[in-house]
């Protein structure tokens, strides 16, 4: 009888999860495994909700956002009872191990399960790009492009009305997405949690910009910096300029994955299944300096990804 491997997508959906699922499934079947898709993240594992994945059941999904397995945030992954129940479920389903596609919460759950003897391979998928052990996560490039396209549109209104815009960008408590979005969209200012935000300096530079003939400016504001609406109100008070706030919200999580996201997802999925087959366990796959890489889950959980402030410096130098 073929050995069974479980695949799970968990936490926030990210474009490219389906492409990764397709790659894991097809590579797994080619290597002789029976592939089991767990529905609705870890909650589905606890409930025993699964489907048999075939070559055909993952057809036509490489170009779709979201996850056909569905996903969810599962509070029980943070409790000993929940994780013990997950171990039991893995055994009841006779799974050799689990391939987990998701962000930092999924990584933490993978770490706990690996310590309880379950073979785990984590595949990083999150629009936040905040995972140690990979330069890029699945979904990041798509979210980056979505946000840049949205800001390009906002800029039309900013220019036409001579307004200041504060645009809120996702990323939980990190500014990785915001920094790259800001540089790519030509934003004039940036607020990220990794760097102290000096609202008085921003306000005074906005006023100076006006004097220099700048009629509109855009501030990229990471959600981790607090309320973009309060920030916008303060900027309006300090500058006496017309300010509008736009929260890009969940449009950043959805949509057709970019070619780059699909390639990354396909490479990660294929690599993860090859590693599993070679007996490698309890690792996170990633890409480091252009090469596929492997980091122990424990290390990935322990370390924080370094925020590279050179993007912010370049933005400052170019926003003149
Ligand atoms: O981790 C992805 C992300 O979209 C973050 O950027 C955001 O803070 C969070 O998820 C929102 O989570 P939820 O989908 O649970 O509202």
């Amino acid at each position: 009888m073929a050995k069974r491997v479980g695949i799970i997508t968990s936490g926030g959906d990210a474009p490219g999860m389906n492409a990764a699922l397709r790659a894991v499934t097809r590579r797994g079947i080619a290597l002789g495994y029976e592939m089991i898709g767990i529905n609705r993240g870890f909650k589905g594992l606890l409930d025993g909700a699964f489907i048999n994945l075939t070559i055909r059941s993952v057809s036509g999904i490489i170009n779709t956002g979201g996850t056909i397995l569905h996903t969810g945030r599962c509070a029980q992954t943070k409790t000993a009872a929940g994780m013990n129940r997950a171990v039991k479920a893995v055994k009841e389903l006779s799974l050799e191990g689990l391939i987990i596609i998701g962000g930092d919460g999924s990584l933490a759950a993978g770490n706990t399960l690996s310590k309880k003897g379950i073979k785990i391979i984590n595949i990083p998928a999150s629009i936040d790009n905040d995972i140690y052990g990979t330069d890029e996560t699945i979904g990041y490039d798509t979210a980056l492009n979505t946000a840049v396209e949205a800001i390009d549109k906002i800029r039309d209104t900013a220019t036409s009305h001579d307004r200041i815009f504060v645009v809120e960008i996702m990323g939980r408590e990190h500014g990785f997405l915001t920094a790259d979005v800001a540089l790519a969209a030509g934003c004039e200012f940036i607020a990220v949690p990794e760097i102290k935000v000096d609202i008085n300096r921003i306000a005074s530079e906005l006023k100076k910009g006006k004097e220099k003939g700048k009629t509109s400016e855009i501030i990229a504001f990471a959600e981790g910096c607090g309320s973009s609406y309060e920030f916008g109100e303060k900027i309006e008070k300090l500058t006496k300029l017309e300010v509008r706030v736009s929260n890009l919200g969940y449009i950043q999580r959805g949509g057709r994955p970019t070619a780059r996201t699909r390639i990354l997802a396909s490479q990660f999925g294929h690599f993860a299944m090859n590693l599993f087959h070679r007996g490698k366990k309890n690792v996170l796959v990633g890409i480091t300096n252009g090469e596929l890489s492997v980091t122990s889950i424990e290390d990935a959980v322990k370390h924080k990804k370094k925020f590279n402030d050179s993007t912010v410096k370049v933005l400052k130098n170019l926003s003149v």
Side-chain angles (χ1 to χ4, degrees):
M1 228 176 67
K3 289 181 176 172
R4 303 176 112 196
V5 176
I7 315 176
I8 194 162
T9 51
S10 85
D13 61 303
M17 277 183 159
N18 281 333
L21 175 66
R22 169 183 178 270
V24 172
T25 302
R26 291 196 169 168
R27 189 64 192 145
I29 291 171
L31 292 170
Y33 295 95
E34 191 184 340
M35 303 304 290
I36 304 298
I38 311 294
N39 289 128
R40 299 196 160 75
F42 281 96
K43 174 147 192 337
L45 181 64
L46 302 184
D47 295 344
F50 68 92
I51 51 166
N52 279 79
L53 292 167
T54 65
I55 298 267
R56 293 279 73 82
S57 60
V58 292
S59 288
I61 63 168
I62 193 169
N63 55 345
T64 59
T67 158
I68 60 162
L69 288 180
H70 297 233
T71 185
R73 305 211 184 266
C74 176
Q76 282 131 296
T77 56
K78 294 187 183 125
T79 68
M83 285 288 89
N84 289 338
R85 170 75 199 104
V87 172
K88 214 166 149 234
V90 168
K91 296 200 171 136
E92 279 163 7
L93 290 171
S94 312
L95 302 177
E96 275 287 299
L98 272 182
I99 311 287
I100 307 172
I101 305 170
D104 52 358
S106 311
L107 194 62
N111 191 32
T112 310
L113 288 180
S114 68
K115 292 205 170 116
K116 291 180 183 288
I118 308 292
K119 285 188 207 160
I120 302 287
I121 308 263
N122 269 93
I123 300 183
S126 163
I127 65 159
D128 302 337
N129 201 24
D130 57 349
I131 299 193
Y132 178 87
T134 188
D135 292 344
E136 188 170 331
T137 50
I138 294 171
Y140 178 65
D141 182 65
T142 306
L144 173 60
N145 280 285
T146 301
V148 168
E149 203 184 319
I151 296 181
D152 287 348
K153 289 176 180 164
I154 288 172
R155 195 174 281 285
D156 288 346
T157 302
T159 333
S160 305
H161 284 261
D162 300 333
R163 278 178 186 160
I164 308 293
F165 262 89
V166 177
V167 180
E168 184 176 322
I169 295 153
M170 273 187 171
R172 211 178 282 277
E173 69 266 29
H174 299 286
F176 298 103
L177 181 60
T178 302
D180 282 344
V181 167
L183 187 60
C187 294
E188 283 74 11
F189 296 94
I190 179 169
V192 285
E194 289 84 352
I195 298 174
K196 199 177 165 340
V197 180
D198 182 348
I199 193 164
N200 292 313
R201 180 191 65 82
I202 295 179
S204 112
E205 287 187 21
L206 282 167
K207 283 196 281 188
K208 276 192 217 145
K210 196 82 178 167
E211 285 153 20
K212 278 192 298 186
K214 278 196 147 196
T215 53
S216 65
E217 310 209 41
I218 297 181
I219 305 164
F221 186 92
E223 66 166 333
C225 287
S227 163
S228 52
Y229 290 93
E230 280 173 21
F231 184 83
E233 268 174 35
K234 282 187 194 152
I235 289 284
E236 197 161 54
K237 272 202 191 111
L238 289 168
T239 60
K240 314 267 181 305
L241 296 169
E242 192 180 18
V243 178
R244 291 287 188 276
V245 178
S246 186
N247 182 356
L248 299 187
Y250 289 89
I251 65 158
Q252 295 162 102
R253 284 248 292 263
R256 257 163 47 95
T258 59
R260 180 166 160 153
T261 287
R262 297 182 205 186
I263 292 166
L264 194 69
S266 302
Q267 294 276 15
F268 278 1
H270 188 265
F271 184 47
M273 213 44 234
N274 281 348
L275 289 174
F276 187 89
H277 188 58
R278 295 209 307 259
K280 196 100 183 150
K281 55 182 181 179
N282 311 338
V283 292
L284 167 83
V285 300
I287 187 155
T288 309
N289 300 326
E291 302 280 341
L292 289 171
S293 59
V294 166
T295 305
S296 79
I297 298 179
E298 200 162 15
D299 272 354
V301 166
K302 224 170 17 199
H303 293 99
K304 275 204 177 326
K305 189 172 193 168
K306 199 176 165 309
F307 181 81
N308 184 352
D309 60 9
S310 75
T311 312
V312 178
K313 286 187 186 140
V314 173
L315 181 137
K316 250 190 205 158
N317 289 342
L318 298 183
S319 131
V320 284

